[in-house]
Amino acid sequence: TSFSLVLLPECDSTNSRLLADPPPDDGLIHVLATDLQTAGRGRRGRVWQSWPGAGLTFSALWRFAPGAPVPAGLSLVAGLAVARALEELGVEGVQLKWPNDVLIHGKKLAGILVELIPGRGRTPAAVVGIGINLHLPPDAGVEYPTGVTDLAHCLAVPPGSNQLLGRVLAQLYRLFDLYAAAGFTALRGAWQQRNAFADLPVRIVGEAEELTGICAGVDEDGALLLQTQGGLRRVLSGEVSLRLA
Ligand code: BTN
């Protein structure tokens, strides 16, 4: 498989662009990157802020083989790909916060937004949007509960955005290939090794019923496993998010 790469100086949201105007189904993985996003979107209706030169901002459109199952666990795979790319660059202490935030020392370094394009009877395509903080302005990101960080705080010589993009795409391609062949099961162990909240008390926010328990990892579909007083519960990622209890 090869990539097609389009780089826009400015764009509203790379996810929105690919969703509104999907590129042809020509066997390529289509990647859209931008230097500046003016209406970046996060999970759960939040805004993803951008500043010129402050980060790597891109989305990739993935199409699955006809008849492939609905891609459960896909957004966790994207987080793992970012984690591996950062580790290759020498970043230490990379952790994953379910479903798909990438943390360093508890602070958010990257966010991921996966959105599906319905496939009219076929497997949906996935738009995988990734934002990685490279060099944030000092007043950035006050909204995240435990704070945000950037690569300039993790590495003496942070990579350029093109170098980082190349590494993340290579990892995404490798892991999505494994995922397409064997599902999330094949990557579950690697994800759990980096689970920021493993065995810690957590609460789920964003659902009518507030759920608390001990984080017991993820299952073979990428659902969160929560040991509650009422027994083991499975939480799907849809519109919820996780906090330390
Ligand atoms: C989150 O942490 O809530 C997810 C943030 C995802 C941000 C990326 S940046 C590229 C792509 N385009 C968007 O509008 N959002 C994603």
Side-chain angles (χ1 to χ4, degrees):
T1 307
S2 312
F3 293 96
S4 99
L5 175 60
V6 174
L7 177 62
L8 296 175
E10 190 179 305
C11 151
D12 53 355
S13 147
T14 53
N15 262 42
S16 302
R17 283 294 102 234
L18 287 180
L19 287 169
D21 195 8
D25 188 357
D26 52 9
L28 300 179
I29 293 169
H30 291 267
V31 179
L32 178 63
T34 187
D35 286 332
L36 185 64
Q37 225 173 207
T38 53
R41 295 185 291 111
R43 290 184 67 241
R44 308 177 62 231
R46 285 181 305 226
V47 168
W48 179 261
Q49 269 191 288
S50 301
W51 300 263
L56 171 63
T57 306
F58 74 97
S59 303
L61 178 73
W62 235 273
R63 290 194 170 87
F64 296 92
V70 172
L74 185 70
S75 69
L76 280 76
V77 180
L80 185 60
V82 173
R84 288 237 169 115
L86 294 169
E87 287 161 1
E88 277 181 358
L89 288 164
V91 180
E92 287 173 8
V94 184
Q95 289 194 307
L96 296 168
K97 173 175 171 282
W98 184 88
N100 52 17
D101 287 351
V102 181
L103 309 184
I104 311 281
H105 303 305
K107 295 187 174 175
K108 181 157 167 170
L109 181 84
I112 296 171
L113 178 66
V114 176
E115 296 178 292
L116 299 180
I117 303 180
R120 287 195 210 89
R122 299 184 47 195
T123 308
V127 174
V128 180
I130 299 183
I132 303 178
N133 302 329
L134 286 175
H135 206 295
L136 292 176
D139 56 347
V142 282
E143 279 178 24
Y144 197 68
T146 57
V148 296
T149 191
D150 60 18
L151 271 184
H153 281 88
C154 306
L155 291 173
V157 185
S161 53
N162 287 343
Q163 189 195 350
L164 185 58
L165 176 61
R167 292 213 183 244
V168 176
L169 286 177
Q171 285 293 342
L172 268 179
Y173 177 58
R174 209 172 74 79
L175 297 190
F176 274 27
D177 223 24
L178 280 172
Y179 172 83
F184 181 67
T185 316
L187 299 165
R188 183 180 171 207
W191 196 94
Q192 298 204 123
Q193 272 171 20
R194 296 169 178 81
N195 181 3
F197 290 172
D199 302 322
L200 292 175
V202 291
R203 70 192 161 90
I204 303 288
V205 296
E207 274 196 330
E209 172 203 19
E210 185 166 304
L211 209 53
T212 56
I214 303 293
C215 177
V218 291
D219 73 4
E220 58 284 352
D221 291 327
L224 181 79
L225 296 173
L226 200 63
Q227 190 66 55
T228 70
Q229 286 187 333
L232 193 63
R233 294 275 298 262
R234 219 175 144 250
V235 185
L236 294 170
S237 75
E239 284 302 304
V240 299
S241 109
L242 202 59
R243 302 267 189 286
L244 276 178

